Amino acid sequence: MEFVVSERYVSKVGLAVGAALVLATCATGGGDAVAATGPATHGAVVGAPGAAQPAAAGVSITEGKVAEVGPKGTILYPSVTSCLVVTVYLRDGGKVGGHASLFQVPGKYRSDEILPAIRRAVGGRPVRAVDVSGAVGAWNPSYFEKAIEQYTDGSAPEPTGDAKGIGDVVAKLLGQPRKAVTVRDVPDGDITR
């Protein structure tokens, strides 16, 4: 799980306690230690028995990352220029988001890994809607199925800007009905959801 605490300093003791809670949750079947992503909070431990619901939380999701916020939380996707961001709106008010980059940021998810990571983070929770926003014109729907880096012979398909095709692939890979997915071309800059 990844915990972001408003860009504030977190002590080693706080990190150790958080890591112990994450490992205990994963050990009891409450999550996958590798794939789980937890919401950013301001001091509350999300998912711990008896833990108070956190106040409105916020998280910044940079290129190649997936994260989650609880109900009333806000996701900031900074510097979206050639990227697409995918936000899954959960029925409980929470959101799971991913920032898909045309080219892989070292150590982060490739474009063909973002949607599977989002799907794992959503799990079996009911979904209200899915929003795809960003530089639609810079994308080919196939980039979500095979990242540009995977074409070692230089045969990567050209961008098509096919919003319908992007929506179709996102719906398929997230296991959601097509009518739940909207695709929007938005100007360069930060996107808040």
Side-chain angles (χ1 to χ4, degrees):
M1 290 185 152
E2 176 178 284
F3 291 92
V4 178
V5 186
S6 312
E7 306 297 324
R8 294 182 191 163
Y9 173 78
V10 178
S11 71
K12 289 181 183 176
V13 172
L15 288 174
V17 169
L21 287 170
V22 169
L23 292 174
T25 299
C26 293
T28 60
D32 178 339
V34 176
T37 302
T41 65
H42 299 283
V45 178
V46 176
Q53 283 288 40
V59 65
S60 177
I61 303 177
T62 56
E63 292 181 30
K65 293 183 85 177
V66 170
E68 175 178 351
V69 293
K72 299 182 183 176
T74 302
I75 297 175
L76 170 67
Y77 300 100
S79 304
V80 179
T81 54
S82 62
C83 303
L84 287 177
V85 298
V86 179
T87 308
V88 176
Y89 293 84
L90 303 171
R91 283 201 194 135
D92 72 358
K95 299 174 202 137
V96 176
H99 192 145
S101 168
L102 274 178
F103 298 97
Q104 183 181 19
V105 174
K108 308 297 181 212
Y109 290 119
R110 290 187 318 257
S111 62
D112 59 353
E113 297 172 320
I114 285 287
L115 295 175
I118 292 171
R119 188 170 182 167
R120 285 190 305 272
V122 169
R125 294 179 287 176
V127 171
R128 186 170 45 90
V130 179
D131 174 75
V132 181
S133 298
V136 172
W139 281 72
N140 183 303
S142 68
Y143 299 164
F144 278 120
E145 296 177 298
K146 185 174 180 179
I148 290 174
E149 296 86 3
Q150 301 298 94
Y151 293 93
T152 56
D153 62 356
S155 65
E158 294 291 320
T160 61
D162 177 7
K164 182 189 176 311
I166 289 170
D168 292 346
V169 169
V170 169
K172 178 180 84 172
L173 294 178
L174 290 181
Q176 297 298 318
R178 177 58 179 93
K179 65 182 179 183
V181 180
T182 59
V183 179
R184 299 186 271 174
D185 191 38
V186 299
D188 292 354
D190 296 347
I191 296 176
T192 303
R193 297 285 182 254

